[in-house]
Amino acid sequence: MSKFYARRRLSILGALTALIASVAVLNGPTASAALPTPVSAATARTYLASLTVATESRTGYDRDLFPHWITQSGTCNTREVVLKRDGTNVVQDSACAATSGSWYSVYDGATWTAASDLDIDHLVPLAEAWDSGASAWTTARRQAFANDLTRPQLIAVTDNVNQAKGDQDPATWMPSVTSYRCTYVRAWVQVKYYYGLSVDSAEKSALTSYLANC
C-alpha cells in the first residue's frame, strides 16, 4: 500500500471514529427525557408575569399534610412509577419495587444502578408550595400536588443532591448541570402557574434572569 493510500485510509478511519463518537453523544442521556416536557420559555415568561408576588409564610407546615406516595395502579405507588419512567431497562418485582436498572440524574449528571441511590424530587418542594399558597388547600389538592405525574413536578435524581436542595427555590438553589437550568425554571413556573401559587420577590427575580437566557 502506498503512503498516500495509507494516509487516506487513516484519514477516513479518523473521520468515522469522530462520527461514531458524535452519535454516541447524541444518543446519551437527554436532559429532558424523564420529566414531562415543560412549557416553552416564552410561555413561562408569560406565566411568570401573571404570578402574584407575595411574602412567604411557613407557619403550620407539616410534610404529612401532603399525603405521598399514593398507589397509582396495582401495587405501584408514585415513587415506583417515576423510577420506572425515568430509568433505563428498569426491572420491577411483584411488589413493583425496582430491582435493577440505570438512572441518569439530570441535576448533577450522575448515573446510578441502584434505586436506593435516588430520591423522587418534588421540583417545587412541598414546603415551598405551603409557603406560597398550599396552606389554604384541601388535603385532596395537596395530595394531588405531591403525586402529580402530569405536570413537570416529579423527577428521579441523586438522593444527596435532592437533600441538599431541600425546600429552596431558584433564588438560592439550581441544578449544577447548567444546561438543565432552562428546563428546570420552565418547569418551576409551569407548576406554580397551574396550581395558582405565588412567588416571592427574590424568587421572581431569579426566575426572570434565568428565563431571559433560555
Side-chain angles (χ1 to χ4, degrees):
M1 183 184 295
S2 70
K3 290 182 179 180
F4 171 78
Y5 285 110
R7 286 196 299 269
R8 183 173 176 81
R9 184 177 181 182
L10 287 172
S11 176
I12 292 170
L13 286 173
L16 285 172
T17 300
L19 177 61
I20 291 168
S22 66
V23 169
V25 169
L26 290 173
N27 289 333
T30 56
S32 60
L35 199 71
T37 304
V39 296
S40 68
T43 299
R45 286 190 285 269
T46 299
Y47 285 178
L48 179 60
S50 73
L51 295 182
T52 299
V53 178
T55 302
E56 296 180 350
S57 173
R58 186 63 54 90
T59 303
Y61 172 71
D62 187 325
R63 189 174 175 83
D64 291 340
L65 293 169
F66 292 79
H68 65 288
W69 303 112
I70 64 169
T71 299
Q72 292 289 345
S73 64
T75 60
C76 300
N77 67 26
T78 307
R79 171 182 165 82
E80 291 146 354
V81 170
V82 176
L83 284 172
K84 176 72 171 178
R85 182 198 71 187
D86 292 2
T88 301
N89 299 323
V90 177
V91 176
Q92 296 173 307
D93 62 19
S94 59
C96 207
T99 57
S100 64
S102 177
W103 292 267
Y104 175 73
S105 172
V106 292
Y107 286 1
D108 58 329
T111 298
W112 303 98
T113 56
S116 58
D117 287 321
L118 298 143
D119 279 353
I120 307 305
D121 180 41
H122 290 97
L123 195 136
V124 175
L126 303 182
E128 167 68 23
W130 178 272
D131 297 350
S132 51
S135 59
W137 292 353
T138 62
T139 299
R141 186 162 176 78
R142 287 194 288 267
Q143 176 176 292
F145 176 84
N147 298 275
D148 190 346
L149 295 169
T150 303
R151 263 61 56 180
Q153 164 66 348
L154 299 174
I155 187 169
V157 295
T158 303
D159 54 3
N160 61 353
V161 172
N162 180 53
Q163 290 151 26
K165 171 187 171 180
D167 58 9
Q168 298 180 80
D169 68 32
T172 55
W173 188 93
M174 286 290 284
S176 61
V177 175
T178 56
S179 61
Y180 194 72
R181 290 179 175 178
C182 183
T183 300
Y184 186 82
V185 294
R186 285 158 48 212
W188 183 284
V189 171
Q190 180 180 346
V191 171
K192 282 228 159 175
Y193 177 84
Y194 179 83
Y195 284 97
L197 296 170
S198 63
V199 289
D200 64 36
S201 57
E203 177 186 356
K204 182 172 183 178
S205 178
L207 290 167
T208 300
S209 178
Y210 284 116
L211 285 171
N213 295 315
C214 287

